[in-house]
Amino acid sequence: MEETKTKEQKTSWARLLRNYVNKNEAKHSQNSREGDEIEIFTELYKKCKGLNGNHKNVPSLYSRVPTEEEPLLMKLREESRALFLQRRSRELLDNNELQKLWFLLDQHHTQPLQADEQMISYDDFLLVREEAGPKCKPFFQPSVFCKLLQNDPYGRISIMKFFNYVMRKIWLHQTRIGLSLYDVAGQGYLRESDLENYILELIPTLPQLNGLERSFYSFYVCTAVRKFFFFLDPLRSGKIRIQDILACSFLDDLLELRDEELSKEMQESNWFSAPSALRVYGQYLNLDKDRNGMLSKEELARYGTGTLTDVFLDRVFQECLTYEGEMDYKTYLDFVLAMENRREPQAQRYLFRILDVQHHGYLNVFSLNFFFRAIQEQMKIHGQEPIKFQDVKDEIFDMVKPKNPLKITLTDLIQSGKGDTVVSILIDLNDFWTYENREFLVPDLSDEV
């Protein structure tokens, strides 16, 4: 009996070993066949592409964007981007998830209250993170908690400030996705036509613009787009990074028009509001005396108080884009933005280009005298005693304090914080008179006290 059992065990072990060997041989044979197939495919592929035997498939650092002559590749790229943006959109919190987050924050707030405001400690902060779900976890980072941490004696943060932070982040992501849909090139920037399409389709969603006639839409879009490009594309490259659009406050000002109860004062100070756009366009029409849709130098001379010097206006028409010596609405908008925002670096860049008569990249005594002579001539016409140029020149250099005592660069002008004053007293008689009489125009507050 024992011999029989021993023989059966040996037979069983032999069978198992034989099966194992056969299985390995089959697997090796299959791997060998797959290896042969890959080798044959690689050889045929290299032959088809004209590659030599030493070619290695190294990932490229640059992917060429398909052109209009490659419609299939362009369509594939568009579809891929659309799917990517849809996926990113689904990753954002919806209204129900935001309500759930607020409920959890309210439920786990940490006592005591601080000035009737609910606070939360870091331990409870982590507890809410675990219950809120995976989509909320990116907001519950230690760095976020530290950013919102203030002078609470218990080391807590405000629930309301944290929730507002989450809402702001979601809004930024939603807006970025919305802007990216208009990024035809898919390179992270918008061209002028892209931004025009975005704002045109945004108009029906802004209650404060409901009163605009459809015939005015194109002028409104042009007015709105010019502010973005004037301040975010000062070098006139023709495109703006989406990241820059999100970082500036212009989009906030534009979307502020969703508020149906926006005050009249807020609308008047908002460049994108209907009253503001109608004001700017109305001024353009009032200046256009011959009603040809363009502005000549003589028509632009009536801008503002009508005291801009002829020399300055000549330089405007020399440096700015004109059509047969006349200015269109788009060029006029750049001019208005520069004149109304002279404290801003972009406006000073625009005006500096006009003041730099010799195109040296700096202002010297000749440049200052070139413009100030026109101020002196206007003073004579109005029966005023002209101010000596030497006094004005010394005062300008004292205000700016340039690195080179004989030259004023754009950087000097911006860093001095007096760029708007320098420009104003060189181009506008009224502004020069206001500056000269500033001590008499500004009331003495010490006497009032």
Side-chain angles (χ1 to χ4, degrees):
M1 290 291 290
E2 291 180 1
E3 292 180 1
T4 304
K5 287 182 180 180
T6 304
K7 288 181 180 180
E8 289 178 356
Q9 288 176 350
K10 288 181 179 180
T11 304
S12 175
W13 277 107
R15 192 185 305 113
L16 289 171
L17 287 170
R18 199 177 302 111
N19 291 339
Y20 176 77
V21 171
N22 292 337
K23 190 182 292 183
N24 280 346
E25 288 179 353
K27 187 176 181 180
H28 177 73
S29 177
Q30 183 180 356
N31 290 340
S32 179
R33 284 199 301 273
E34 290 178 356
D36 291 342
E37 290 176 1
I38 292 173
E39 189 176 341
I40 293 170
F41 172 80
T42 303
E43 185 178 344
L44 291 173
Y45 178 81
K46 288 182 177 180
K47 186 177 180 181
C48 176
K49 293 291 184 179
L51 304 174
N52 57 40
N54 298 325
H55 175 78
K56 292 183 180 180
N57 187 20
V58 180
S60 63
L61 300 176
Y62 168 72
S63 298
R64 185 177 59 85
V65 178
T67 63
E68 294 180 357
E69 298 176 355
E70 301 169 308
L72 192 60
L73 290 176
M74 286 188 69
K75 188 65 178 175
L76 176 62
R77 180 182 174 83
E78 289 174 9
E79 290 296 324
S80 300
R81 288 186 64 250
L83 290 173
F84 169 74
L85 293 174
Q86 288 176 13
R87 187 172 70 251
R88 293 301 301 269
S89 183
R90 287 194 297 269
E91 292 172 359
L92 300 177
L93 299 178
D94 57 30
N95 288 334
N96 292 331
E97 289 166 326
L98 282 170
Q99 289 178 3
K100 178 186 175 183
L101 176 61
W102 176 254
F103 173 77
L104 289 172
L105 290 168
D106 180 62
Q107 183 181 9
H108 293 284
H109 75 272
T110 309
Q111 294 289 353
L113 300 180
Q114 186 181 45
D116 297 329
E117 189 173 7
Q118 290 181 326
M119 311 292 285
I120 188 169
S121 67
Y122 187 66
D123 290 337
D124 291 329
F125 183 77
L126 296 178
L127 186 61
V128 173
R129 182 183 69 174
E130 296 305 318
E131 296 185 21
K135 289 173 74 172
C136 292
K137 284 193 174 181
F139 302 110
F140 287 84
Q141 300 296 328
S143 57
V144 174
F145 190 90
C146 291
K147 282 180 185 177
L148 301 176
L149 189 62
Q150 294 182 333
N151 297 325
D152 181 69
Y154 301 97
R156 303 168 302 172
I157 63 171
S158 166
I159 286 178
M160 181 58 72
K161 288 181 180 178
F162 172 71
F163 191 73
N164 287 338
Y165 168 83
V166 174
M167 292 281 288
R168 176 70 179 174
K169 278 287 186 181
I170 292 172
W171 178 84
L172 284 172
H173 286 303
Q174 287 175 339
T175 307
R176 185 179 187 109
I177 291 170
L179 289 169
S180 297
L181 292 172
Y182 294 85
D183 177 12
V184 177
Q187 297 292 297
Y189 60 78
L190 296 183
R191 299 169 302 178
E192 194 164 343
S193 58
D194 300 331
L195 193 56
E196 286 175 351
N197 291 333
Y198 173 75
I199 293 178
L200 183 62
E201 295 183 18
L202 194 65
I203 291 177
T205 69
L206 305 174
Q208 288 293 339
L209 300 181
N210 287 343
L212 288 181
E213 296 181 4
R214 293 196 66 86
S215 59
F216 186 68
Y217 277 13
S218 59
F219 295 101
Y220 175 81
V221 169
C222 181
T223 305
V225 168
R226 282 324 301 163
K227 180 160 189 177
F228 281 94
F229 273 83
F230 182 82
F231 285 99
L232 302 181
D233 182 31
L235 298 180
R236 305 296 183 263
S237 65
K239 57 189 179 183
I240 308 174
R241 293 193 309 166
I242 292 176
Q243 185 177 345
D244 292 338
I245 296 176
L246 293 171
C248 74
S249 62
F250 300 156
L251 209 54
D252 291 328
D253 296 339
L254 182 60
L255 298 178
E256 193 178 60
L257 302 179
R258 288 175 175 171
D259 184 1
E260 297 182 8
E261 300 179 356
L262 194 65
S263 66
K264 185 178 180 181
E265 292 75 15
M266 293 289 287
Q267 290 187 54
E268 289 176 353
S269 63
N270 189 334
W271 173 268
F272 303 102
S273 69
S276 177
L278 291 168
R279 172 185 64 83
V280 174
Y281 187 65
Q283 290 173 349
Y284 182 78
L285 292 180
N286 289 333
L287 292 174
D288 184 19
K289 284 298 182 182
D290 58 9
R291 295 291 182 266
N292 68 342
M294 309 280 277
L295 297 183
S296 64
K297 175 195 162 187
E298 291 72 22
E299 290 171 330
L300 186 64
R302 296 169 47 244
Y303 173 83
T305 57
T307 53
L308 292 172
T309 65
D310 289 338
V311 172
F312 172 69
L313 291 170
D314 286 338
R315 286 290 298 147
V316 169
F317 278 81
Q318 288 172 10
E319 291 295 329
C320 298
L321 178 64
T322 57
Y323 301 88
E324 296 182 358
E326 295 198 318
M327 179 185 290
D328 69 347
Y329 184 56
K330 187 179 291 187
T331 306
Y332 172 75
L333 287 171
D334 285 344
F335 177 79
V336 172
L337 286 165
M339 297 299 287
E340 291 186 357
N341 300 275
R342 295 182 212 180
R343 290 180 179 273
E344 301 299 325
Q346 296 88 343
Q348 291 178 25
R349 178 188 293 273
Y350 175 96
L351 294 167
F352 185 87
R353 181 163 52 94
I354 295 170
L355 296 178
D356 184 13
V357 184
Q358 298 170 303
H359 299 99
H360 286 328
Y362 58 82
L363 305 181
N364 53 21
V365 174
F366 173 84
S367 304
L368 300 181
N369 189 35
F370 181 82
F371 285 95
F372 191 71
R373 277 185 304 176
I375 295 288
Q376 291 174 319
E377 290 172 5
Q378 283 197 2
M379 293 181 75
K380 290 178 183 178
I381 293 173
H382 289 84
Q384 298 175 2
E385 184 68 26
I387 305 296
K388 293 182 179 179
F389 168 70
Q390 188 67 28
D391 297 336
V392 174
K393 185 259 296 182
D394 291 342
E395 193 160 353
I396 288 175
F397 275 88
D398 286 341
M399 280 194 290
V400 177
K401 295 181 176 59
K403 291 183 178 179
N404 187 323
L406 300 177
K407 302 175 182 177
I408 299 175
T409 65
L410 175 61
T411 303
D412 294 328
L413 205 63
I414 293 172
Q415 290 180 350
S416 70
K418 301 290 186 180
D420 58 315
T421 304
V422 172
V423 171
S424 297
I425 63 180
L426 290 173
I427 67 174
D428 192 320
L429 175 63
N430 187 59
D431 288 344
F432 176 77
W433 184 87
T434 303
Y435 175 75
E436 276 296 300
N437 297 276
R438 60 192 180 281
E439 296 176 358
F440 304 102
L441 295 175
V442 178
D444 191 344
L445 297 178
S446 60
D447 292 343
E448 294 181 6
V449 174

